[in-house]
Amino acid sequence: MNPLWLLLGGPALGAALSGTVVDEAGEPVPGAVIQAYDVLLRAEETETDAMGRWRIEDLAAGTWRVRAVPAYTDNLVARWHPAAQDFCGGERLQLHASSEQAGVQITVPDGAAIRGRLVDSMGAPVVNEVVWAVGADEATESLVARPTLSGPTGEFVVRGLDTPPDGAGLWTLYARVDGFPDQYLGGVYDGDDAEPVVLSEGERTDVGTWGLNDGILVRGHAMGPGGPLAGASVHVYAGGQVVTVSSEDDGSWEAIGLPPGDVLPWVSAAGHALTYFPNHDRPTEYAGTVPTEGGLLDVGDILAPREARLFVDVVDADDGSALGSLSALLYNSDQTVGRGNQVDSAGRLVIDRLHPGDYRLYLWGESVGYADTWALDEDGDPATVSIEETGDMDPLRLALPRAGTVAGQVMEEDGTPLAGASVALRRLSDASLAAATTDREGRFLVGGLAAGHWTAQVAAEPLCPGDPGAVTMYFGPTVNPAWQDSVLLEPGGRVTGVEFRLPADQDRDRMADTWEKATGLDPTRDDSTEDPDDDTYDNLTEYRLGTDPFTPAAGPPGCGGCRGRTAAVVLLLPMAALRRRRRT
């Protein structure tokens, strides 16, 4: 069933969740992080007090799942309310505006632990650094990673590790220590090659002494036309990791703690062009390769020229007013490097630290009623911006035509905002597509639209296999011509106050529960392919035609009212409903 497009209601906010966290003995668990996730998988957080109590306020109406993550010092594992190991196993909590669901108790069981001792390559303890335990197989990779801190002798214990419900699971250790490469247990840099630790429920395993790889040392000098560059940011890539350091007064710099491998450094300094080794505007060549641990590479000088700066005044193509709050990215000729910035409130865009060369400019204007687009030339192709020398260019003027927007809200049948729904628009003349996802209040804005007739598809896919769904509104052409409704956008026009109401679909058979109940079908199971009246039209087709699934058809499918009878429940979308939209 298609939704009616109605005037927007206000946001549904002010709901709350509250409860307690206890261990398996029923004792309160203080200091646990409570995370309430909505259907967008965005979380609101709080922490349990000394009595294990918690409360989260100002939540949007809708569906939430809640998880408790015990403090890293506790040997307790994370659980979803009431005591589930995974997100989809957690109970769905339905909140309504200005309501509170209290008594949400989460029970967290004891966990397993890994202990060991962290040292450097000389055997000296690595103190007060974070060690993580992360899942290392299919059964554990989705479980909560747990951190700990190494002690005065490098000793560490990672507590609260979960195990698969049907037996042992694999974990490994990961260290991110200043001055060392990020690395896994076993002296490797790839998690797939890490040394696994087999853990069963409640087990404690000692991995012994873990000696960290030192990595390699890379050094060089940051230089400009006037000599050494002091305080430049030097970024050095090697072995899949990047280290950033600052240059000294003489331009010298050293980067330690990188994995062995091919090395690429680049320099960014105020007043100078962003420069890759040795003097390029883009990655062109490696500075060298360091194949073994403890190796050294001196890359010599990186020569950064004085910067060029691009100024662009962004204005409305119709009235010449300044356009602010847009984002822009200037790409080099092969789009390997881009430099971005925000257009300020006066409509001025400044891109600095550029080399001379040819560039193309892309702007994101959808959020303020303009298209996301390349800056175009007179032929409608992406325009080339040529910078011939360093220094400040005279401002360019870029006039953007206003694009159309459609804004509104997606709701459930009872008026509850439907977050995470996808709203896809299609232009009938050329099948152009544009889309958005609804926020926590079910609101959406689809911008950057050209003039013409646009039709919609609105869908809300459940997060988990057992979650109830909602009936999708489909693009035309469909079985029922009345479902091909569209909205006409004038050039730069705005349509606001659009509301979609999606019918509930508990069994996810693409038919509305209300229709199934009214016609005598079963809304708790998928009966979409059945044909109780033996007229060759299954129940899903009957639903989309708005006809009675228990009365044989009098004509061919797809002809709407030609079947010689009235549908048991009228589900067609009135075309006149679109006239109530607000246009500007």
Side-chain angles (χ1 to χ4, degrees):
M1 179 175 67
N2 274 15
L4 296 178
W5 301 50
L6 304 174
L7 294 180
L8 283 174
L13 295 171
L17 288 166
S18 62
T20 57
V21 179
V22 298
D23 62 20
E24 290 185 309
E27 295 297 318
V29 178
V33 174
I34 305 299
Q35 301 168 325
Y37 284 84
D38 63 10
V39 295
L40 297 174
L41 296 180
R42 296 186 298 191
E44 298 289 345
E45 290 190 356
T46 189
E47 190 171 298
T48 57
D49 64 15
M51 298 302 295
R53 298 171 300 198
W54 59 271
R55 189 170 190 268
I56 302 178
E57 301 176 338
D58 296 325
L59 298 176
T63 300
W64 295 81
R65 283 180 167 93
V66 183
R67 174 170 69 175
V69 181
Y72 79 87
T73 52
D74 292 338
N75 191 32
L76 299 168
V77 302
R79 283 293 182 265
W80 296 90
H81 167 70
Q85 190 174 50
D86 61 86
F87 175 86
C88 287
E91 183 178 332
R92 300 170 65 251
L93 303 175
Q94 186 68 41
L95 294 183
H96 301 285
S98 303
S99 67
E100 177 169 354
Q101 182 156 344
V104 180
Q105 180 171 296
I106 307 173
T107 302
V108 293
D110 292 338
I114 300 174
R115 65 183 307 122
R117 181 168 177 262
L118 197 65
V119 300
D120 63 20
S121 60
M122 303 299 291
V126 176
V127 178
N128 203 35
E129 297 287 356
V130 178
V131 175
W132 287 86
V134 295
D137 65 3
E138 186 174 341
T140 59
E141 63 184 4
S142 63
L143 301 179
V144 176
R146 297 281 285 177
T148 193
L149 286 173
S150 58
T153 64
E155 78 283 359
F156 64 86
V157 182
V158 189
R159 301 174 177 87
L161 299 178
D162 212 346
T163 52
D166 56 351
L170 299 183
W171 289 80
T172 192
L173 300 176
Y174 176 77
R176 190 167 216 173
V177 178
D178 188 38
F180 294 83
D182 298 348
Q183 56 195 281
Y184 292 86
L185 183 66
V188 297
Y189 301 109
D190 188 333
D192 292 338
D193 300 326
E195 182 178 316
V197 180
V198 182
L199 282 181
S200 299
E201 183 178 358
E203 185 179 8
R204 285 177 171 263
T205 296
D206 194 328
V207 297
T209 300
W210 178 12
L212 295 178
N213 294 333
D214 289 329
I216 65 174
L217 168 65
V218 181
R219 66 189 183 196
H221 283 79
M223 304 295 290
L229 296 178
S233 293
V234 182
H235 311 275
V236 186
Y237 165 91
Q241 298 183 28
V242 176
V243 168
T244 300
V245 297
S246 294
S247 60
E248 302 295 336
D249 289 344
D250 63 354
S252 64
W253 54 267
E254 287 189 349
I256 62 173
L258 284 161
D262 295 327
V263 175
L264 175 64
W266 64 98
V267 169
S268 179
H272 294 77
L274 177 71
T275 301
Y276 292 81
F277 172 88
N279 57 1
H280 303 306
D281 69 340
R282 67 199 72 191
T284 301
E285 57 185 294
Y286 289 113
T289 300
V290 184
T292 58
E293 295 288 339
L296 164 67
L297 178 65
D298 190 328
V299 303
D301 294 343
I302 301 178
L303 304 173
R306 296 288 183 188
E307 70 178 353
R309 293 200 303 170
L310 175 66
F311 297 87
V312 181
D313 291 324
V314 185
V315 300
D316 184 288
D318 293 329
D319 60 20
S321 60
L323 300 181
S325 304
L326 286 78
S327 298
L329 191 62
L330 188 72
Y331 288 98
N332 64 1
S333 58
D334 59 8
Q335 296 187 34
T336 54
V337 177
R339 286 197 57 76
N341 206 351
Q342 292 286 119
V343 180
D344 66 22
S345 58
R348 173 62 61 88
L349 170 67
V350 181
I351 306 287
D352 62 3
R353 305 193 185 192
L354 300 173
H355 287 256
D358 290 338
Y359 296 88
R360 288 180 174 178
L361 180 65
Y362 194 87
L363 295 103
W364 285 267
E366 179 179 325
S367 63
V368 292
Y370 296 81
D372 295 345
T373 181
W374 293 99
L376 304 177
D377 60 22
E378 294 180 353
D379 296 325
D381 298 320
T384 298
V385 179
S386 295
I387 299 176
E388 298 179 358
E389 57 184 21
T390 59
D392 293 348
M393 290 183 59
D394 292 334
L396 302 178
R397 188 175 185 274
L398 179 60
L400 293 183
R402 184 177 290 277
T405 58
V406 174
Q409 193 173 26
V410 179
M411 314 282 281
E412 298 179 20
E413 284 175 298
D414 63 0
T416 301
L418 195 52
S422 64
V423 180
L425 302 182
R426 187 188 70 173
R427 192 163 68 151
L428 296 180
S429 61
D430 60 3
S432 296
L433 295 174
T437 300
T438 58
D439 65 13
R440 283 177 171 168
E441 284 74 55
R443 298 185 182 278
F444 68 90
L445 185 150
V446 184
L449 304 177
H453 286 275
W454 291 81
T455 186
Q457 172 179 293
V458 184
E461 292 296 328
L463 290 172
C464 299
D467 290 355
V471 178
T472 297
M473 174 182 174
Y474 293 94
F475 285 137
T478 64
V479 175
N480 196 322
W483 288 21
Q484 298 176 42
D485 202 359
S486 63
V487 59
L488 174 61
L489 274 179
E490 303 295 340
R494 298 183 181 184
V495 174
T496 61
V498 174
E499 183 181 289
F500 294 96
R501 293 203 178 217
L502 297 191
D505 181 16
Q506 180 181 351
D507 52 11
R508 297 166 64 177
D509 60 1
R510 295 169 291 168
M511 300 183 295
D513 294 346
T514 50
W515 183 82
E516 291 198 72
K517 291 175 183 177
T519 57
L521 297 179
D522 186 351
T524 66
R525 67 179 182 85
D526 185 350
D527 49 3
S528 60
T529 60
E530 297 176 7
D531 182 15
D533 57 11
D534 290 326
D535 62 357
T536 72
Y537 307 144
D538 61 25
N539 290 333
L540 179 59
T541 302
E542 301 265 13
Y543 167 69
R544 291 176 174 172
L545 289 171
T547 53
D548 186 347
F550 290 95
T551 301
C559 61
C562 69
R563 297 170 69 173
R565 57 193 169 83
T566 301
V569 179
V570 177
L571 298 172
L572 305 185
L573 177 65
M575 301 298 288
L578 289 179
R579 297 173 186 163
R580 291 180 286 184
R581 298 168 181 171
R582 297 193 298 273
R583 293 184 173 88
T584 59

